[in-house]
Amino acid sequence: MKGYMVVDGQKVEYNDEKNVLDVVRNAGVDLPTFCYHSELSIYGACRMCMVEDKWGGTFASCSTPPKSGMEVYTNTPKLQKHRRMILELLLSNHCRDCTVCEKNGKCKLQELAVRFGIKKIRFNNIDNHHPLDESSTSITRNPNKCILCGDCVRMCEEVQGVGVLGFAYRGSKIKVTPAFNKQLSEADCVNCGQCTVVCPTGALIVKNETDKAWSVLNNPQKRVVVQIAPAVRVAIGEEFGLPAGEIVTGKLVAALRKLGFDEVYDTAIAADLTVMEETKEFMNKLKKGDNALPLFTSCCPAWVRFAEQKYPQLQQYISSCRSPQQMFGAVIKEHYRSMKEIDSRETVVVSIMPCTAKKYEASRPELSVNGEQDVDIVLTTQELALMLKEAGIIFNQLEGESLDMPFGLASGAGVIFGVTGGVAEAVLRRCYTEKTAKNLKEIEFVGTRGMQGVKEAVVEIDEKQIKIAVVHGLKNAQELVEQIQAGEKQYDFVEVMACPGGCIGGAGQPLPVDSSVKQKRAKGIYKADRTSQIKRSEENPMVVALYNGMLKDKHHLLHR
């Protein structure tokens, strides 16, 4: 619907904007919000985005649709007083240890307090000092920093379909908590961490394990090997002033060596192994004519956990492959076990991941050998950035360096695992019998790429029509699974990623993670694929060497 509004005396045209807030922002006015996210439902709780009409009335701009001829003012004395009052009230019920808070410098409450000149709080601090919840392997929850914006509640329910968090009690006792005041580890949390992405304060943050990393890096008895997930290379530069999507693999390798890591490798080589194994499972399923349910991917630990809890009957249809992170850990640990007589140092595997659920995955008991974890420490992109800043490394000035060999060689197919649709596309590259450049280009357009929540593709393999679905966001996955179980949809292969956009939108990535940022990161991933000399996993000579060597009689290292 087209029309115009008058914003602060200036006429502004609008077209498809769904609320006054979007129109005002398009007019160049940054109205503050705590509870508004374009991908979530309208809540209107924080009241920071209030505007004043020409009659002196005020209303929340986020929950009001635009009307042609509407006149609003965004910065009147009444609104200034109103916003400062809200901020003072929030701060009066907030733990204000900002200097030691993980969100210091990135907290929305802190940012707006500075912006609106809050120098003195007239109300007594009534913080009740609730205990921290550090039970989760992935997330730390601090109720003392919660401002009741409801962003985490809506994210968990509307995008992820998990519904672990909710409002409890009433009046001054209201709080956000898992049901029955359980800790996160006792609830059905899948560790996706998307609640931390939308939390404007330090109430929900990624669990910080940088101390563990520093400890092993400073121990000469440890051989510290690090793997870098594909999505990290197009995001970490944002923490150092570089644009989203810029590929900084070389700088990242140099930085990790400066931190003291002994060897630096690419998780994408393990993604190549995943392609080989998942494709084999898929093709075997097709040959058997097992069309009851599709083969679901197993790369995303949040999705695997979600399926275990909600759809245990699907377990036989989820690929038995370990995720690339765990495959790499298992292979590298086995590689150094065979060299124990030459070098007796203990091998510690550290992962740099865009994902909080990878912390949980690494701790799963079945992903270990004789009680030794395949992956010892998982750091998110955010945590690595903290370490680089602590070490004083000027990241954007580093000269690029190459990954170590032999596990630094990966294909473009392994790299595109970092974006939604990447696993499905990599499997298609392996399945197609024709290995031409033209054929490779055609795969790009079958329908696996893009940021839609659910994508469908139909391809022909060995004269058989194959139906593929790509889904991201667990609520979308839930709806798709229920359609499959009801017989409304039928697929042969389904890729599932918990985080919107796939790994590029993981909760461990630099914030904010809005749609435009994810688009740029995805573009960077596909650029890395285009410039890769090896396009298909089976063409990676290191993968061939592993299958002819170590994996000949230790194939179990690649499966759960």
Side-chain angles (χ1 to χ4, degrees):
M1 185 175 67
K2 294 183 179 180
Y4 75 92
M5 283 179 54
V6 179
V7 178
D8 296 329
Q10 300 293 316
K11 187 179 285 188
V12 179
E13 291 185 353
Y14 66 85
N15 192 356
D16 296 320
E17 287 81 358
K18 61 184 178 182
N19 52 38
V20 171
L21 175 62
D22 285 347
V23 178
V24 170
R25 285 180 169 174
N26 288 345
V29 178
D30 180 21
L31 279 182
T33 61
F34 283 119
C35 69
Y36 180 75
H37 294 272
S38 58
E39 68 273 24
L40 301 178
S41 64
I42 302 298
Y43 190 48
C46 74
R47 317 310 281 180
M48 286 295 290
C49 69
M50 299 286 280
V51 293
E52 188 174 342
D53 62 28
K54 61 182 178 180
W55 298 286
T58 57
F59 58 89
S61 62
C62 69
S63 57
T64 305
K67 293 179 182 177
S68 193
M70 180 184 283
E71 295 183 34
V72 299
Y73 298 89
T74 65
N75 194 37
T76 64
K78 182 191 286 189
L79 292 173
Q80 290 173 350
K81 181 180 179 181
H82 170 83
R83 290 177 182 133
R84 290 190 182 114
M85 177 71 76
I86 288 174
L87 289 168
E88 282 191 68
L89 288 168
L90 288 173
L91 288 165
S92 72
N93 192 34
H94 189 77
C95 173
R96 299 200 292 270
D97 58 349
C98 297
T99 54
V100 292
C101 177
E102 290 275 357
K103 274 283 187 79
N104 187 22
K106 296 180 180 179
C107 169
K108 196 69 176 285
L109 180 59
Q110 185 184 57
E111 174 195 323
L112 291 180
V114 171
R115 173 176 162 182
F116 288 96
I118 307 299
K119 305 296 183 186
K120 183 179 179 182
I121 298 165
R122 293 167 288 169
F123 313 106
N124 292 329
N125 193 319
I126 56 173
D127 175 47
N128 293 317
H129 298 290
H130 302 287
L132 269 64
D133 179 0
E134 297 185 281
S135 62
S136 167
T137 54
S138 309
I139 300 162
T140 298
R141 188 171 69 91
N142 186 346
N144 304 295
K145 296 180 186 288
C146 179
I147 61 171
L148 303 173
C149 64
D151 293 352
C152 59
V153 176
R154 287 175 293 137
M155 172 59 79
C156 193
E157 177 60 40
E158 296 172 9
V159 176
Q160 299 299 62
V162 180
V164 162
L165 297 169
F167 287 100
Y169 310 108
R170 294 185 178 184
S172 63
K173 297 189 180 202
I174 192 170
K175 64 178 180 177
V176 173
T177 177
F180 309 109
N181 282 324
K182 288 182 179 179
Q183 294 192 317
L184 279 176
S185 62
E186 301 169 325
D188 288 338
C189 176
V190 297
N191 298 278
C192 70
Q194 286 298 308
C195 55
T196 69
V197 174
V198 295
C199 180
T201 66
L204 287 158
I205 57 171
V206 176
K207 195 158 198 176
N208 190 320
E209 296 183 289
T210 56
D211 286 348
K212 288 184 183 179
W214 285 123
S215 176
V216 295
L217 286 170
N218 292 319
N219 187 338
Q221 302 305 313
K222 309 280 188 184
R223 177 195 298 107
V224 190
V225 179
V226 63
Q227 57 170 317
I228 309 166
V232 175
R233 73 199 68 202
V234 293
I236 193 168
E238 296 164 37
E239 290 279 2
F240 302 93
L242 298 173
E246 183 166 328
I247 304 166
V248 293
T249 312
K251 292 180 183 294
L252 186 50
V253 173
L256 289 166
R257 289 204 179 107
K258 279 183 174 292
L259 286 178
F261 287 97
D262 294 299
E263 294 173 29
V264 185
Y265 295 125
D266 194 339
T267 309
I269 187 176
D272 282 332
L273 291 172
T274 303
V275 171
M276 301 294 285
E277 295 300 306
E278 272 195 357
T279 306
K280 184 179 178 182
E281 275 187 298
F282 178 49
M283 296 306 286
N284 285 339
K285 187 176 185 302
L286 289 179
K287 285 176 185 175
K288 289 178 183 176
D290 181 5
N291 298 321
L293 284 174
L295 179 71
F296 291 89
T297 59
S298 59
C299 297
C300 174
W303 149 244
V304 171
R305 180 65 174 157
F306 181 77
E308 286 173 342
Q309 293 176 166
K310 204 167 186 75
Y311 303 107
Q313 68 274 24
L314 286 184
Q315 292 309 301
Q316 61 180 310
Y317 297 100
I318 295 176
S319 171
S320 67
C321 294
R322 296 185 180 204
S323 73
Q325 169 183 264
Q326 296 305 133
M327 281 192 185
F328 181 88
V331 167
I332 205 77
K333 286 279 182 87
E334 189 62 30
H335 172 70
Y336 282 111
R337 283 190 194 102
S338 66
M339 298 176 61
K340 195 78 173 174
E341 292 181 5
I342 302 171
D343 188 339
S344 61
R345 286 182 298 168
E346 179 188 351
T347 300
V348 177
V349 176
V350 178
S351 299
I352 311 299
M353 292 285 144
C355 170
T356 56
K358 290 294 181 185
K359 292 175 178 283
Y360 155 76
E361 179 185 57
S363 70
R364 291 185 65 134
E366 70 270 23
L367 298 176
S368 60
V369 177
N370 297 325
E372 181 185 1
Q373 289 178 220
D374 293 328
V375 174
D376 300 285
I377 301 169
V378 178
L379 301 175
T380 61
T381 316
Q382 293 176 23
E383 289 169 274
L384 177 60
L386 289 174
M387 291 182 71
L388 295 176
K389 290 171 184 176
E390 184 178 345
I393 294 171
I394 306 174
F395 185 84
N396 55 355
Q397 293 183 15
L398 291 175
E399 292 291 332
E401 296 179 14
S402 62
L403 291 151
D404 288 311
M405 293 297 285
F407 301 106
L409 187 62
S411 75
V415 172
I416 61 174
F417 266 53
V419 65
T420 176
V423 180
E425 183 175 334
V427 168
L428 285 178
R429 292 183 187 184
R430 169 75 175 130
C431 287
Y432 273 47
T433 51
E434 292 183 30
K435 308 290 185 182
T436 64
K438 180 176 179 293
N439 177 265
L440 192 71
K441 193 70 177 173
E442 286 175 354
I443 293 174
E444 292 181 22
F445 299 98
V446 300
T448 59
R449 294 191 179 188
M451 289 294 164
Q452 304 97 314
V454 180
K455 302 183 286 281
E456 297 178 325
V458 179
V459 297
E460 188 174 302
I461 297 176
D462 296 334
E463 300 183 347
K464 183 175 180 180
Q465 295 283 355
I466 304 300
K467 295 179 180 177
I468 294 172
V470 173
V471 56
H472 57 107
L474 291 175
K475 184 69 175 288
N476 290 329
Q478 179 180 337
E479 291 171 358
L480 189 73
V481 168
E482 289 173 0
Q483 287 174 332
I484 292 170
Q485 290 183 324
E488 297 169 11
K489 295 279 188 178
Q490 186 175 5
Y491 303 103
D492 299 293
F493 185 87
V494 177
E495 176 198 314
V496 185
M497 294 291 172
C499 296
C503 300
I504 54 170
Q509 297 279 63
L511 301 177
V513 189
D514 58 31
S515 58
S516 64
V517 168
K518 283 184 277 198
Q519 291 278 6
K520 291 172 183 174
R521 291 175 184 171
K523 192 175 179 182
I525 288 282
Y526 289 126
K527 180 180 178 182
D529 171 43
R530 283 197 309 275
T531 56
S532 174
Q533 290 177 301
I534 307 170
K535 303 295 186 186
R536 299 174 180 85
S537 300
E538 69 271 23
E539 295 169 353
N540 185 341
M542 189 58 217
V543 167
V544 175
L546 281 169
Y547 276 113
N548 291 334
M550 179 199 302
L551 297 177
K552 213 169 194 178
D553 58 353
K554 292 177 181 173
H555 197 252
H556 64 277
L557 295 174
L558 306 182
H559 293 265
R560 294 180 282 131

